[in-house]
């Protein structure tokens, strides 16, 4: 009599990066875009690029973030003419 090894059913790892069908930003990103310019990025934002901006009356930094939950790209601009979160 031969014994068969028990079949294990494994679930695929959860995939955290899911774009919604209507391309809507998650609640954290929506709140981030309405937040003050000095606000820190929410926990699921990852820095993609950071570039110094040179302006006539002082410079700043423009940083691009990618949300790991909804896939949206957010920008944060500092400096005299920086727009904050957008």
């Amino acid at each position: 009599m031969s014994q068969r090894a028990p079949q294990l059913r494994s679930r695929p790892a959860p995939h955290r990066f899911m774009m919604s069908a209507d391309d809507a930003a998650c609640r954290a990103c929506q709140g981030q875009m309405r937040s003050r310019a000095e606000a820190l990025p929410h926990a699921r934002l990852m820095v993609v690029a950071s570039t110094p901006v040179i302006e006539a009356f002082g410079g700043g930094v423009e940083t691009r973030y990618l949300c790991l939950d909804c896939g949206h790209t957010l920008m944060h601009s500092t400096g005299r003419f920086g727009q904050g979160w957008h």
Side-chain angles (χ1 to χ4, degrees):
M1 190 175 208
S2 70
Q3 288 185 335
R4 293 170 51 188
Q7 292 184 355
L8 300 176
R9 294 183 186 217
S10 63
R11 294 182 183 172
H15 190 61
R16 297 281 310 192
F17 177 76
M18 294 182 194
M19 293 288 290
S20 60
D22 59 354
D23 197 32
C26 64
R27 286 186 182 188
C29 286
Q30 291 172 1
Q32 191 73 53
M33 288 185 277
R34 288 189 302 268
S35 66
R36 298 177 54 168
E38 302 85 23
L40 294 175
H42 74 75
R44 297 291 293 163
L45 287 179
M46 177 179 71
V47 175
V48 176
S50 185
T51 308
V53 177
I54 300 170
E55 298 169 349
F57 301 104
V61 177
E62 188 170 272
T63 307
R64 183 181 309 241
Y65 293 88
L66 175 69
C67 180
L68 298 176
D69 286 338
C70 68
H72 270 78
T73 300
L74 279 77
M75 302 286 288
H76 183 257
S77 303
T78 63
R80 184 173 179 158
F81 300 110
Q83 299 176 7
W85 290 100
H86 51 100

